[in-house]
Amino acid sequence: GAVVSQHPSWVICKSGTSVKIECRSLDFQATTMFWYRQFPKQSLMLMATSNEGSKATYEQGVEKDKFLINHASLTLSTLTVTSAHPEDSSFYICSAEGPPNSPLHFGNGTRLTVT
Amino acid sequence: GQNIDQPTEMTATEGAIVQINCTYQTSGFNGLFWYQQHAGEAPTFLSYNVLDGLEEKGRFSSFLSRSKGYSYLLLKELQMKDSASYLCAVRSGSGNTGKLIFGQGTTLQVKP
């Protein structure tokens, strides 16, 4: 149980375009989801906390107008990278909180390449 | 502030035992997690400690000392497939929720 599905698994886009990444909890409801970014050979950096029905909470240094987060239902959160640039190329991973006392469950990640 | 430290790289021999240490200083503590991550893949959960002591799970064990801000992950009977990055993460927040803050990860190389 506690499966998190992330889509797409990889995407290549041109500079200046926007990309939407979906994160779904398949067999549980997640009022809170988290979005992480990981650059090569680095650890996961928390970008924002996505709360169902309310505004996301962004970590310091993360531009909320560039990384739009929508958590419209208990099973879906989306991250939109707007006006993407090559420096936004990274591995984006979502995670969701499952039942009490359970670990954070991660999606399989989305590798974004901006050309 | 938040600070989680773990060694950058470690090397061990197949069949041996390796201990990966993690020290942390965080504002709020609600559990410490260990994840394994292979290159290009998402992290997979290994173990979780919220109280002091040792948690054993097959070949993997994790220890926590909250007073010392210290944890370790112990891997026994190392196999080649254990070559991966091991991430220590601390959860802050209340109850059973809260965001995970990750250390920089320890890349473990298992040699024959």
mmCIF file of all heavy atoms in Angstrom, chain B residues 10 48 93:
data_model
loop_
_atom_site.group_PDB
_atom_site.id
_atom_site.type_symbol
_atom_site.label_atom_id
_atom_site.label_comp_id
_atom_site.label_asym_id
_atom_site.label_seq_id
_atom_site.Cartn_x
_atom_site.Cartn_y
_atom_site.Cartn_z
ATOM 1 N N MET B 10 31.775 6.296 1.396
ATOM 2 C CA MET B 10 32.325 5.181 2.158
ATOM 3 C C MET B 10 32.526 4.001 1.206
ATOM 4 O O MET B 10 31.792 3.860 0.216
ATOM 5 C CB MET B 10 31.400 4.769 3.303
ATOM 6 C CG MET B 10 31.206 5.834 4.361
ATOM 7 S SD MET B 10 30.211 5.276 5.760
ATOM 8 C CE MET B 10 31.346 4.183 6.583
ATOM 9 N N TYR B 48 13.163 3.767 10.371
ATOM 10 C CA TYR B 48 12.610 4.946 11.037
ATOM 11 C C TYR B 48 12.804 4.804 12.538
ATOM 12 O O TYR B 48 12.504 3.756 13.107
ATOM 13 C CB TYR B 48 11.124 5.041 10.681
ATOM 14 C CG TYR B 48 10.255 5.904 11.544
ATOM 15 C CD1 TYR B 48 10.516 7.261 11.686
ATOM 16 C CD2 TYR B 48 9.132 5.372 12.180
ATOM 17 C CE1 TYR B 48 9.687 8.068 12.454
ATOM 18 C CE2 TYR B 48 8.299 6.174 12.947
ATOM 19 C CZ TYR B 48 8.575 7.518 13.078
ATOM 20 O OH TYR B 48 7.757 8.313 13.827
ATOM 21 N N GLY B 93 8.066 18.926 12.992
ATOM 22 C CA GLY B 93 6.628 19.078 13.010
ATOM 23 C C GLY B 93 6.024 18.380 14.200
ATOM 24 O O GLY B 93 6.727 17.872 15.059
#
